[in-house]
Amino acid sequence: PRQVHASGTNATWSPDGSKLLFQACRGGSCDWWMSSADGSNPVLAAATKPAPPELWLASGEVLYTDKNKLWTVALSDGQPRR
């Protein structure tokens, strides 16, 4: 194994394997970040997501659970949907 990010947890791969989505707490908030598969070029993907990403779907949405409910977030707009 090799370390891809110095900080971040709960990573999930994009459906094509080219990107990583992970949760990181930086500057007082926990957000979802996206990077290249090798960990380079991290960018903010969705701000202030209290729950970690679980599964990245081919549609571009990410599944996660929060308070025993299943949610999706489209990475294009960061808005949760139930």
Side-chain angles (χ1 to χ4, degrees):
R2 70 180 177 87
Q3 183 174 347
V4 177
H5 285 282
S7 66
T9 60
N10 304 302
T12 188
W13 291 99
S14 64
D16 67 3
S18 67
K19 305 252 185 233
L20 278 173
L21 183 68
F22 60 97
Q23 186 175 36
C25 298
R26 301 175 179 171
S29 69
C30 292
D31 307 308
W32 290 0
W33 291 79
M34 183 171 34
S35 71
S36 299
D38 65 1
S40 63
N41 305 313
V43 295
L44 183 64
T48 316
K49 296 296 172 217
E54 295 178 26
L55 180 64
W56 194 337
L57 304 173
S59 65
E61 294 179 309
V62 176
L63 292 175
Y64 72 99
T65 54
D66 187 27
K67 298 179 183 164
N68 295 321
K69 293 185 176 140
L70 184 63
W71 295 81
T72 62
V73 169
L75 292 179
S76 60
D77 65 11
Q79 296 301 310
R81 294 168 183 82
R82 214 172 87 173

